[in-house]
């Protein structure tokens, strides 16, 4: 915890620190306290309160703000956990939806592929997605989502040769688990 009795008398203000100068001259800060917020010894933020007059905060007031800081950490962590839970639930729901489509559409591959690209776009908050299927010598567009009709038609007419395109490179040299020895280090995965 830091308390500054008078910001205009503080070294940071006299050294011309832009935040201290703006705080004092623009916001009118004079006395302030900053209470750090920690989660498991890792900083997650701080609560800063100030007065426009020079009047230090009492021990009781500082204790109160320290308690608020602890409550804020709990609220931040609860929100993070809730968001993770929601995201996980969305992913599980989407996976269940895809599995339902697959089980109902065992003879309709197109429905399954369309559902997969739709789910990928939604869950990854992407604008578009596509799936290419490999034939003997080329990759052809099998499903897409989020493209203009013109671009989709163009992609369907234009098969990609199984050579140096990204789709082809992603498949060549891949490991049994689907990872690719050349990409993880460059993609940071």
């Amino acid at each position: 915890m830091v308390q500054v009795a008078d910001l205009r008398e503080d070294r940071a203000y006299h050294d011309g620190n832009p935040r201290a100068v703006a705080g004092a001259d623009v916001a009118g800060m004079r006395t302030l306290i900053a209470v750090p917020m920690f989660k498991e010894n890792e900083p997650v933020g701080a609560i800063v309160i100030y007065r426009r007059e020079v009047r230090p905060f009492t021990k009781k007031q500082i204790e109160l703000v320290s308690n608020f800081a602890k409550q804020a950490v709990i609220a931040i962590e609860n929100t993070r956990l809730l968001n993770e839970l929601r995201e996980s639930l969305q992913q599980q729901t989407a996976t269940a939806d895809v599995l339902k489509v697959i089980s109902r559409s065992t003879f309709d591959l197109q429905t399954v592929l369309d559902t997969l690209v739709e789910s990928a776009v939604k869950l990854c908050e992407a604008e578009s997605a596509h799936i290419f299927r490999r034939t003997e010598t080329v990759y052809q567009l099998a499903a897409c989502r989020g493209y203009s009709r013109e671009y989709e038609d163009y992609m369907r007419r234009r098969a990609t040769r199984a050579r140096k395109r990204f789709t082809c490179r992603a498949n060549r040299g891949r490991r049994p688990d689907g990872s690719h020895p050349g990409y993880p280090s460059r993609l940071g995965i």
Side-chain angles (χ1 to χ4, degrees):
M1 190 283 305
V2 173
Q3 176 163 216
V4 177
D6 185 353
L7 187 56
R8 288 196 176 143
E9 297 300 321
D10 192 71
R11 181 178 179 148
Y13 181 83
H14 289 286
D15 288 349
N17 179 296
R19 191 166 286 192
V21 171
D25 296 346
V26 177
M29 296 178 185
R30 292 302 296 266
T31 298
L32 67 96
I33 59 172
V35 178
M37 298 171 5
F38 289 98
K39 179 189 168 275
E40 298 173 4
N41 295 325
E42 289 295 318
V44 295
I47 293 181
V48 180
I49 63 171
Y50 69 92
R51 292 186 170 133
R52 291 177 183 250
E53 62 181 312
V54 176
R55 186 166 50 98
F57 292 93
T58 66
K59 185 176 180 179
K60 199 171 205 170
Q61 291 167 331
I62 293 169
E63 203 172 288
L64 180 64
V65 175
S66 294
N67 285 330
F68 287 160
K70 291 172 188 166
Q71 291 171 1
V73 170
I74 292 168
I76 289 168
E77 181 63 9
N78 284 347
T79 301
R80 184 189 67 77
L81 291 171
L82 183 59
N83 287 337
E84 282 182 8
L85 182 63
R86 284 184 183 144
E87 185 177 300
S88 176
L89 182 60
Q90 283 179 332
Q91 291 173 355
Q92 289 173 11
T93 301
T95 301
D97 291 345
V98 168
L99 291 173
K100 279 185 219 171
V101 169
I102 290 171
S103 68
R104 281 182 291 192
S105 308
T106 54
F107 300 108
D108 185 8
L109 177 61
Q110 192 60 52
T111 301
V112 173
L113 297 179
D114 289 341
T115 302
L116 288 169
V117 291
E118 186 175 334
S119 295
V121 166
K122 183 179 176 184
L123 287 173
C124 297
E125 299 173 4
E127 284 75 36
S128 60
H130 56 264
I131 293 176
F132 284 98
R133 286 194 62 206
R134 184 178 180 165
T135 65
E136 296 270 333
T137 58
V138 296
Y139 285 90
Q140 291 183 318
L141 185 65
C144 66
R145 171 85 173 174
Y147 293 111
S148 68
R149 174 62 61 196
E150 296 80 21
Y151 188 69
E152 184 179 335
D153 290 343
Y154 168 79
M155 293 296 287
R156 287 194 189 283
R157 287 191 312 266
R158 187 171 184 272
T160 302
R161 285 211 170 100
R163 288 187 303 175
K164 297 181 179 180
R165 304 275 192 257
F166 177 77
T167 305
C168 310
R169 286 186 297 171
N171 278 312
R172 215 179 353 193
R174 66 179 158 71
R175 298 177 182 133
D177 67 357
S179 65
H180 190 285
Y183 289 103
S185 61
R186 287 191 292 215
L187 295 177
I189 298 173

